[in-house]
Amino acid sequence: MTVPHPYADLLAAIPVARHTRTVLGGQTVYWVYGDADAETTLLVVHGFRGEHHGLEPVIAYLPGLRIISPDLPGFGESPALPGRQHDIATYAAWLAEFSAAVAPGAVVLGHSFGSIVAAAAVADGLPTPRLILVNPIGAPALEGPRGVLTRLAVFYYRAAARLPRRIGDAVLRSRVIVRVMSVSMAKTHDRTLRRFIHDQHDTYFSRFADRDVLLQAFVASVSNDVRASAPRIHVPVLLVAAERDDITPIEAERRLARMFADAELVEIPDVGHLIHYETPRAAADAIRRFLPLSDAGTC
């Protein structure tokens, strides 16, 4: 049964093209949305186990911008980087090289795990006029409201890595596990939207290169957060946070905002860690307000 895509009509009005680029010795696959002559370019970085489709609902509400959306190395259509550990340092170096080659001067946006990567890259010198972090990881995941579940996830990923490869890979791609993750994160009571969210996770959450990359990226995601980078970032920053986020509580996001030299915090009610699926228009509205009015577009 086909699951309705609630943002399909808006996306259909935005031109998109697929491209590839060699970065850090590996092929990065990326998509360019919007017109080449747009005044502002937005470079977006998706979250853990996701890929470029995940941020399309937000992109749907941002006509008038040129948006570049790569699949992180080891996820979606981008293969793993050869001979490298997929940790925050590597992902930050990859983003800096990718940005210099494909989107110099772009505004950088990171969602969830992508917020850690984007913040680290900017703190390390990636030039950008502004930084946007959606559902930023503002505190250690092991200390969040669902710290126990995070510890269970650590056990899950490490145990799967120790199993015979074929069995371990099947465990990591289990639709049952993916559905449990999806159900635990979704907050909306809209049945149609919940079906869409679960279908997105079922379709894209297991498109990782192999279990080694997945484990490396998972360890990176739970061992780091944006706080380490915040004091070294001196461009204006927008934090789009959820009041019901189970990974980073809103109080921690408020503390995180104070760690930047120049930051604005937008809090979205009645949503958790899936702002990009459940409240993409609210996120896009905040992004448009943060960008110059001439670049904001309409929807």
Side-chain angles (χ1 to χ4, degrees):
M1 180 183 297
T2 302
V3 176
H5 192 308
Y7 313 108
D9 290 344
L10 291 171
L11 279 170
I14 300 175
V16 58
R18 179 185 181 276
H19 303 270
T20 61
R21 185 84 183 198
T22 301
V23 183
L24 293 187
Q27 289 295 304
T28 292
V29 184
Y30 66 98
W31 286 257
V32 179
Y33 300 81
D35 298 324
D37 58 355
E39 293 184 26
T40 293
T41 297
L42 188 63
L43 170 57
V44 301
V45 186
H46 65 75
F48 175 69
R49 281 193 76 152
E51 43 105 277
H52 73 281
H53 283 99
L55 289 171
E56 283 192 331
V58 179
I59 292 171
Y61 287 103
L62 290 172
L65 300 182
R66 177 172 177 258
I67 300 176
I68 297 176
S69 182
D71 282 348
L72 282 167
F75 295 91
E77 295 187 33
S78 295
L81 294 171
R84 290 181 180 265
Q85 184 79 8
H86 290 70
D87 53 18
I88 297 301
T90 294
Y91 277 120
W94 162 82
L95 183 60
E97 185 172 311
F98 178 81
S99 176
V102 175
V107 175
V108 177
L109 179 152
H111 171 258
S112 188
F113 177 60
S115 74
I116 307 175
V117 173
V122 173
D124 288 344
L126 187 162
T128 183
R130 300 181 182 217
L131 175 64
I132 301 168
L133 306 177
V134 180
N135 283 125
I137 307 299
L142 293 171
E143 298 176 8
R146 295 197 175 185
V148 172
L149 290 180
T150 302
R151 288 179 173 82
L152 288 174
V154 171
F155 173 78
Y156 162 69
Y157 283 105
R158 291 194 182 280
R162 295 188 180 100
L163 291 169
R165 182 167 294 276
R166 183 176 62 83
I167 298 173
D169 190 71
V171 168
L172 289 169
R173 299 181 196 274
S174 166
R175 289 177 68 89
V176 173
I177 297 297
V178 170
R179 181 55 58 91
V180 169
M181 294 178 185
S182 188
V183 169
S184 70
M185 289 190 289
K187 302 300 182 186
T188 180
H189 297 294
D190 184 316
R191 291 185 179 182
T192 300
L193 184 54
R194 289 182 73 90
R195 285 178 57 210
F196 168 71
I197 291 169
H198 298 332
D199 181 68
Q200 289 282 294
H201 287 147
D202 288 346
T203 303
Y204 302 118
F205 229 46
S206 294
R207 297 183 67 195
F208 52 87
D210 57 53
R211 66 178 185 173
D212 296 329
V213 170
L214 187 65
L215 177 60
Q216 292 167 17
F218 175 73
V219 171
S221 72
V222 298
S223 304
N224 299 272
D225 58 74
V226 176
R227 295 177 305 168
S229 301
R232 297 186 291 128
I233 294 174
H234 302 289
V235 298
V237 179
L238 171 66
L239 308 176
V240 183
E243 291 185 355
R244 299 177 62 195
D245 198 328
D246 292 321
I247 294 180
T248 301
I250 194 63
E251 294 81 7
E253 303 286 34
R254 293 165 183 162
R255 291 193 294 270
L256 174 65
R258 295 193 290 270
M259 295 180 183
F260 292 94
D262 180 3
E264 173 189 351
L265 173 63
V266 172
E267 301 180 14
I268 301 181
D270 302 320
V271 68
H273 201 66
L274 302 181
I275 283 175
H276 59 309
Y277 283 139
E278 297 187 39
T279 58
R281 182 165 193 164
D285 287 347
I287 292 167
R288 286 201 304 271
R289 290 193 298 268
F290 184 65
L291 297 175
L293 291 177
S294 61
D295 301 325
T298 58
C299 62

